[in-house]
Amino acid sequence: MRASCRGVALAAAVAVATAAAAVGLQLPERHFGCPPAKNVCVYPIDTAVLQCEALFDFQVELHVVANASVANPVLDELTIRLRLPSGEVTTPAALFPGATPEFRTWALTAFRDMSDENPTGYDAYAVTYRNVFVPLRVGKGYVTVTVEARGVTTEVSYEIRAPTTRAAKNVVLFVGDGMSLPMMTAARLVSRGMYQGKYKDKLTMQAMDNIALMSTSGVDSIITDSANSASTYHTGQKTSVNALGVYADSGDDVFAHPKQELLTEYIKQTMGMSVGVVTTAEVQDATPASTWAHVRQRAEKAAITAQAINGCLNCVLAVRPDVLMGGGGKFFQPAFSVDGSDMYQNYSAAGYTVTHTREEMVAAAKNPATKKLLTISHAGNMEVWLDRNVYQGNMDKAANDPTGKGVPPTQQPNLDEMTMAAIDVLSRNDKGFYLLVEAASIDKSAHPLDIPRMLSDLIELDNTVQQVVDWAKAHGDDTLIIATADHAHGYDVFGTVDTQLWNNAVQSSPSNPVRDTDNYCAAVTDNAGQSFPSAFANGTTSARASNLARRASIGTYAAAGYSDYVNRGDNFPKTWNVRTTLASGMNNHPDHTTSFTVATSIKKPAVLVDGAFVNNAKDDENGVFQSGNLGPTGSTGVHTLADVGVFASGPGAERVKGMLDNTDLYHIMASALGVGTDGRREKK
Ligand SMILES: [Zn+2]
């Protein structure tokens, strides 16, 4: 049995289902969007915190074991009551005037409990009130929803937040994707250095006025992905892995799940603010898409590309971000777009200036006539900072230009260039702007265990934050700036490595340990029918000796000393190929080898052999073997549970303190912008 209570425990949030078995309603497990009695699901979910005036789809869903004796009449017997903070008891029809209930049914299969070997067939019945909101008159406090169906009573409770006076004209949210606190410590050491045990300087993010810790788990799992985490930042609502702007109900239609309004939708529709989105990933990737998309599966990238300008099923409006920058050109091309059309042309028809290179982007941003700017400079994810700026030869290797011309995309802008160009355009709106900036490849480098690329993108993010902090100070000091991550990766530093000693150990080993490593790696197949070479298993051969000789180059405690990175003046090290580098790594990984050095080309730690990922012998040929601790289909490292840091300055930053939940971030931004103030939506 899974634990049923999530997030903030509310006294009123008690579900009772004592009569379920007697009347034919069963308890399907694994529908994690449902409250504790999982035969009756209510969305928004129990413990949700709702902002007055923010839209949501209110849905009640019943699960009935599929057999003839308990067929259709369930919805007819359903009663829904809402108790308001004032004590008044009302109905959905009265609280949400004008909303027409939508009735749907579908079949599903689910495990009744974790011990079931086979899933059970159910009929699901749902009633949905689309695009409703809690009006200002309800006031702050708790709303309790009581659902009765065939003698089964389920209660969920929502906290209602009343609006606050607007304090910030603009909000800029930086998301270092996967940026854990130990990564920031390592980046500070690499970037700023250390003297007599003290950091020489802080990262810009660490120098901000307010700092907090934040938990990142989702409705369905302790471990979040970028979709449900970023979605939560923009809705204030929890959701499930892979979901954007919706609660995950049990239905199959990925576009029909109960929606949660995005902050971007509210501020565009009711406040006339501008919205900008900058990423180094594909613009359809989870974090950027969380500013406009409503879809159960983040993988619907072609549809997500269209949703930005066309809106979505049952949506009030299309967000049409005023600035959209990053990669993802593939899904704009007719061969891959949702309807075979040229999405660049569609964006152009929707008022966008379409650009593909740094020079085009800068020129368009400086042109006062540019109202909407699309800059797509890569077919997929943009190259990481280290390849854009140091190992530039890597950029020429693949024909990934954004328009499908079959040439390399060598004119990709850096994150700070995109961000400041975005602000050029967005700041022309007197009503203010919201800008999301994602440093995507902190995460995308952490997955393949590529630590220098991960840290270089973190430093690029931090330099970008500095430029925006400087811009905000020079432009009225009325911009709330927040920098955080969406989830962690299991990274830390445990010492240093003398790479010269390491290489000496490789070179001087009498029986050529490099070759031994190759042989070992080629043969390794673990206990899924695979045998370790006896040479390693015995631990007595030259291969074992060379492994130990290399590991003798790792210093811990007093033997660690300091690493050799030197700031070249722009917070990046003069060289990443230092003699004394960091001994660091991930707490989860596939079989792989590491020598702790910078890889001159993109890393691929493991390769698929007979259905399981094993060490890629070619990835780090001087490396020592690390036995995988993930399942056999795990090709890279994965996200982890650790709380992330939140760093903030500007009006509204004072709410960033102590221990936060990721739902709080929305409410901090919504409060700073005065979402719901004056009952704007009700008056419309
Ligand atoms: Zn990730």
Side-chain angles (χ1 to χ4, degrees), residues 313-507:
L313 183 67
N314 303 315
C315 282
V316 172
L317 87 168
V319 171
R320 296 194 174 183
D322 300 271
V323 174
L324 182 56
M325 295 174 169
K330 175 179 167 182
F331 299 101
F332 288 79
Q333 299 167 17
F336 302 99
S337 75
V338 71
D339 57 1
S341 66
D342 182 335
M343 292 301 294
Y344 290 123
Q345 280 179 12
N346 297 349
Y347 273 65
S348 181
Y352 285 82
T353 302
V354 178
T355 64
H356 298 295
T357 66
R358 173 191 288 114
E359 287 73 17
E360 290 171 6
M361 174 192 79
V362 170
K366 287 205 183 315
N367 181 352
T370 301
K371 298 280 185 282
K372 286 184 174 295
L373 179 55
L374 177 73
T375 301
I376 305 294
S377 61
H378 196 291
N381 297 314
M382 293 171 65
E383 253 69 48
V384 305
W385 184 90
L386 204 62
D387 296 312
R388 271 181 272 125
N389 294 278
V390 179
Y391 299 108
Q392 289 165 322
N394 290 332
M395 287 206 297
D396 299 331
K397 285 180 181 160
N400 283 322
D401 86 280
T403 56
K405 289 199 194 85
V407 296
T410 52
Q411 296 297 313
Q412 298 166 60
N414 287 314
L415 184 68
D416 58 339
E417 295 167 328
M418 290 194 287
T419 302
M420 299 318 291
I423 289 178
D424 276 348
V425 176
L426 297 169
S427 61
R428 290 178 192 135
N429 184 348
D430 291 340
K431 293 174 178 164
F433 65 83
Y434 171 80
L435 172 61
L436 170 75
V437 178
E438 184 202 23
S441 290
I442 298 171
D443 172 85
K444 292 185 192 305
S445 300
H447 280 291
L449 319 174
D450 193 332
I451 287 152
R453 280 176 178 74
M454 174 187 90
L455 296 179
S456 70
D457 271 52
L458 201 163
I459 295 169
E460 181 181 44
L461 168 66
D462 196 63
N463 280 352
T464 305
V465 174
Q466 182 65 58
Q467 290 188 41
V468 174
V469 166
D470 293 344
W471 177 89
K473 280 210 178 79
H475 291 81
D477 228 350
D478 49 9
T479 299
L480 170 61
I481 301 172
I482 299 175
T484 188
D486 48 354
H487 56 76
H489 274 270
Y491 174 78
D492 210 344
V493 178
F494 54 93
T496 64
V497 182
D498 185 325
T499 57
Q500 192 168 314
L501 287 182
W502 183 286
N503 288 328
N504 288 347
V506 173
Q507 304 301 328

Side-chain angles (χ1 to χ4, degrees), residues 132-215:
V132 298
F133 62 92
V134 177
L136 207 52
R137 65 177 170 79
V138 167
K140 65 180 181 182
Y142 290 91
V143 168
T144 303
V145 181
T146 304
V147 178
E148 286 182 62
R150 297 194 160 201
V152 178
T153 302
T154 299
E155 282 190 9
V156 302
S157 183
Y158 308 139
E159 182 188 343
I160 308 301
R161 289 277 169 89
T164 54
T165 307
R166 184 173 181 177
K169 179 181 179 186
N170 314 306
V171 172
V172 181
L173 176 64
F174 291 94
V175 174
D177 202 297
M179 179 175 69
S180 65
L181 290 168
M183 282 180 203
M184 297 183 75
T185 312
R188 186 181 69 219
L189 180 66
V190 166
S191 168
R192 307 306 207 266
M194 187 178 282
Y195 178 69
Q196 305 288 57
K198 292 180 184 169
Y199 49 76
K200 289 184 183 170
D201 199 359
K202 300 171 190 172
L203 293 177
T204 295
M205 292 183 271
Q206 295 166 336
M208 292 170 88
D209 298 332
N210 288 74
I211 298 182
L213 294 173
M214 184 165 65
S215 63

